[in-house]
Amino acid sequence: MAFSKKEHKNISIHDLILLGIYLVTKKRETCTFERLVAECFNRFPKVFGFKRYPHWPDSLKFDRPLRTLREKGLIVGTSTSEFNLTEFGKQKAIRIAKELKKGRFTPEAKRERGIRSIDDRLIEYIKNSEYYRKFLRNPEELSISEPGFRELLRCTMETPLRVVKQNLEYLKKLSQSYNEPQIGSFLRYCEKIIFKKDG
């Protein structure tokens, strides 16, 4: 998969790393830290190389972005194990790859309002859910099962619990950025119901 050198200059290092994880895992390879560094440096050497020694990758450029991606619920894993994308992370990486391949990447913050982003659809999906509507009518009457809650988070019963919680955190932060406090309250209410046994 080839990308325009001119276009990738418009992309944040966070998005390039997310794309790197996607490309490695798409090949059914284990995305270790070393493998990720190699993938990103080989594809985007000007971004990930040392300034004074551009023919060598600078692994320190990955530390903070990887933490940010994990906090945003886009990836799971650590530098001592392996990295994988959450469902949200995968969807975003696919969008980045498609737009880069077409040579028309536009950062999310600058996208036109008429273009519905993945985040837009996630917010709309929750708003249209029957669980959310019941919550708005009367929170005390809301009953939600774990399968129902997982479906709301775009997960299955086979999805690891850590990924479910990552997706939940991502949606809670999304509700803040979209100024949708009721969605945040709804997610926290469901969280208490589903994870109450975890203390």
Side-chain angles (χ1 to χ4, degrees):
M1 186 178 289
F3 302 116
S4 164
K5 291 183 178 180
K6 181 180 179 181
E7 282 294 325
H8 82 248
K9 292 180 181 178
N10 298 326
I11 312 180
S12 71
I13 193 169
H14 298 79
D15 285 348
L16 290 177
I17 290 175
L18 192 71
L19 180 61
I21 296 174
Y22 169 70
L23 294 173
V24 172
T25 55
K26 188 179 180 183
K27 300 173 187 175
R28 298 186 181 279
E29 296 181 33
T30 300
C31 189
T32 62
F33 180 71
E34 292 80 5
R35 181 67 184 84
L36 175 61
V37 171
E39 184 73 23
C40 290
F41 177 70
N42 287 334
R43 289 185 179 275
F44 313 108
K46 290 185 178 181
V47 177
F48 293 99
F50 284 103
K51 288 185 178 180
R52 293 185 62 185
Y53 306 97
H55 53 289
W56 291 104
D58 184 358
S59 61
L60 291 178
K61 290 185 176 181
F62 291 80
D63 290 346
R64 185 172 295 177
L66 283 170
R67 286 198 299 272
T68 300
L69 290 171
R70 192 160 43 235
E71 289 169 359
K72 288 184 175 181
L74 297 172
I75 68 171
V76 292
T78 66
S79 298
T80 56
S81 57
E82 64 182 271
F83 295 103
N84 283 292
L85 301 175
T86 64
E87 185 59 33
F88 297 142
K90 183 177 179 181
Q91 290 175 10
K92 184 172 182 179
I94 290 173
R95 178 186 70 79
I96 294 169
K98 285 182 178 179
E99 293 193 5
L100 261 182
K101 195 174 181 181
K102 293 177 181 178
R104 60 184 189 197
F105 181 82
T106 306
E108 282 190 353
K110 298 181 180 179
R111 300 184 80 194
E112 298 177 11
R113 289 193 174 186
I115 301 175
R116 294 176 62 210
S117 69
I118 293 171
D119 290 345
D120 292 335
R121 294 197 295 270
L122 288 172
I123 290 294
E124 185 175 333
Y125 176 72
I126 292 177
K127 282 185 171 181
N128 290 331
S129 74
E130 186 60 31
Y131 294 119
Y132 182 63
R133 291 174 181 173
K134 286 182 179 179
F135 175 80
L136 293 179
R137 287 196 295 268
N138 189 346
E140 295 182 359
E141 293 183 2
L142 175 64
S143 176
I144 185 169
S145 63
E146 184 174 352
F149 189 50
R150 282 174 172 257
E151 183 179 354
L152 196 66
L153 300 177
R154 311 308 286 264
C155 298
T156 68
M157 290 304 290
E158 287 71 41
T159 304
L161 184 59
R162 70 177 187 280
V163 176
V164 174
K165 291 185 175 182
Q166 288 272 8
N167 287 5
L168 173 60
E169 290 305 311
Y170 182 82
L171 281 173
K172 286 196 290 187
K173 290 179 180 178
L174 200 62
S175 69
Q176 292 179 335
S177 65
Y178 273 69
N179 195 26
E180 294 282 357
Q182 288 181 313
I183 290 180
S185 298
F186 165 67
L187 292 170
R188 287 189 292 274
Y189 189 86
C190 292
E191 181 180 17
K192 287 182 181 179
I193 294 175
I194 301 301
F195 300 128
K196 59 183 177 181
K197 59 183 179 182
D198 295 339

